[in-house]
Amino acid sequence: MRNLESVIAEPPITMISDSVSVVTNYNFNGGNLYGWLTSCHGFWHNIGLIVPSFMFVMFLVVQAKKSFVKLSNARSLVIIAYYGCLWLVSLFNLAWCLLQAWECTSARQTPWNILSLLTDAGMLFLEVSLVAFLLQGNHASGKEALTRTFVASGLFVAFDTLFKAIYLYGFSIPLFIDDAEGRSRVKWGLWVIHKLLLTAVYGIILFMYNSDWRERLPARPAFYKYVTIMFCLNVTALLACLLLTGHGASFGAWLYGVTTVCYHALYLPLLYVTFLADFFEEDALNLESVYYSEMKDAGFFDADWEL
């Protein structure tokens, strides 16, 4: 440590220069916004995650008062439960997007794994429960249907989270860290199974929509578009995981990164538009005419005209 005499004797301009140098070195080595945005996966990857997720949370905040009034008047248990889950998962997802630098910081890998587990579990719960409502068709209403759907979805997500936690902490397999050392066949083999199951579920629903069983599903084209988008996304993610298990790892890593950004940035807005937007935006008297128009456009009344 420099003594008092040397500090006093040192010119003021030199002291200021040293202070600026220390601050500059701190800021541009990951201590400021620039380093935070460019660390780990790069600027565009982080921006692609942060901006849409932040804008969606701000949208929920702006619409909160209007939404609460609508929910209190309608008293729909299904919509209330889904809206609450959407809020909680959106906050977890925003935190996950903002804290991408933790993934590439060895001291933060444990909290990163915990945050990733919680975020992944929340988004999977919304995804599975919405599919469960789709498969119940027009019978998905009321307290019993809500309880049945949420219990089944919760059990499935709990098993999935437990399975991932065993891989993370029991076998030390970095499921949520995409580095060169983590590209093992075991890790990506697990993700292949995960994506394959989701792809199969959405594929079955698409098959039902294009068969005689479509009357058992909600007669709304918005649900069909949602299932189509999720099927394509999971097929792409499945292809990326397959590439990462063998040859083509570089392209597979890029493709998996793209699907990750699309899922975390756009899935929650897609779910809101598909499942909740009509409830909050349409008046109760006009909602039935909107559904009827959608059903007519989808061709659900063609058989009646033929008769």
Side-chain angles (χ1 to χ4, degrees):
M1 180 180 294
R2 295 178 298 178
N3 54 26
L4 181 61
E5 290 79 4
S6 62
V7 172
I8 297 174
E10 188 174 343
I13 189 66
T14 304
M15 298 174 62
I16 296 174
S17 177
D18 292 342
S19 300
V20 172
S21 176
V22 171
V23 173
T24 304
N25 290 336
Y26 170 76
N27 285 341
F28 286 93
N29 281 312
N32 72 335
L33 180 63
Y34 178 81
W36 169 56
L37 287 176
T38 58
S39 61
C40 205
H41 295 289
F43 177 79
W44 293 114
H45 182 277
N46 294 335
I47 286 295
L49 285 171
I50 294 171
V51 173
S53 58
F54 178 78
M55 290 180 64
F56 181 66
V57 171
M58 289 298 100
F59 170 79
L60 292 179
V61 171
V62 171
Q63 297 290 326
K65 183 177 180 179
K66 178 182 176 182
S67 299
F68 290 152
V69 172
K70 183 77 173 181
L71 289 171
S72 61
N73 293 331
R75 301 183 184 275
S76 174
L77 293 177
V78 175
I79 300 296
I80 291 173
Y82 246 90
Y83 184 74
C85 291
L86 181 67
W87 254 106
L88 180 63
V89 175
S90 297
L91 294 176
F92 271 104
N93 184 62
L94 178 60
W96 186 88
C97 295
L98 290 172
L99 299 173
Q100 287 290 297
W102 283 10
E103 182 180 349
C104 301
T105 306
S106 57
R108 297 287 185 177
Q109 287 185 359
T110 298
W112 170 255
N113 287 329
I114 295 174
L115 178 61
S116 298
L117 272 176
L118 294 175
T119 305
D120 192 60
M123 297 187 71
L124 184 63
F125 177 81
L126 290 176
E127 194 173 346
V128 172
S129 57
L130 182 55
V131 169
F133 275 113
L134 285 173
L135 294 177
Q136 292 180 63
N138 297 324
H139 301 288
S141 60
K143 185 176 180 180
E144 293 183 0
L146 176 66
T147 304
R148 181 171 60 250
T149 301
F150 273 26
V151 168
S153 303
L155 289 175
F156 178 84
V157 172
F159 176 78
D160 179 82
T161 304
L162 178 62
F163 194 66
K164 291 174 182 175
I166 292 174
Y167 266 76
L168 271 173
Y169 301 108
F171 300 104
S172 300
I173 297 175
L175 294 177
F176 302 107
I177 299 176
D178 299 332
D179 56 4
E181 297 178 357
R183 293 177 183 170
S184 63
R185 290 182 178 271
V186 177
K187 168 187 174 178
W188 294 111
L190 175 64
W191 284 118
V192 165
I193 296 174
H194 189 270
K195 301 301 180 183
L196 184 61
L197 289 174
L198 291 175
T199 303
V201 171
Y202 287 116
I204 292 172
I205 297 176
L206 282 178
F207 172 78
M208 293 176 65
Y209 262 111
N210 293 279
S211 67
D212 295 335
W213 294 345
R214 69 174 182 174
E215 295 181 357
R216 301 182 181 181
L217 299 174
R220 295 194 60 199
F223 287 134
Y224 177 78
K225 295 175 182 178
Y226 166 83
V227 173
T228 303
I229 292 172
M230 295 306 299
F231 176 77
C232 294
L233 180 63
N234 281 281
V235 166
T236 306
L238 175 61
L239 175 61
C241 294
L242 287 172
L243 291 173
L244 283 164
T245 59
H247 301 289
S250 298
F251 178 71
W254 175 84
L255 189 62
Y256 187 78
V258 171
T259 58
T260 299
V261 171
C262 291
Y263 183 69
H264 284 275
L266 302 177
Y267 174 69
L268 294 176
L270 174 65
L271 187 145
Y272 180 89
V273 171
T274 303
F275 194 68
L276 297 173
D278 287 339
F279 176 83
F280 291 120
E281 294 176 2
E282 298 290 342
D283 295 332
L285 295 177
N286 296 331
L287 199 56
E288 286 191 14
S289 62
V290 171
Y291 288 166
Y292 178 82
S293 298
E294 290 184 351
M295 293 168 64
K296 184 177 180 181
D297 293 338
F300 279 87
F301 302 110
D302 292 344
D304 297 336
W305 287 105
E306 292 175 0
L307 293 176

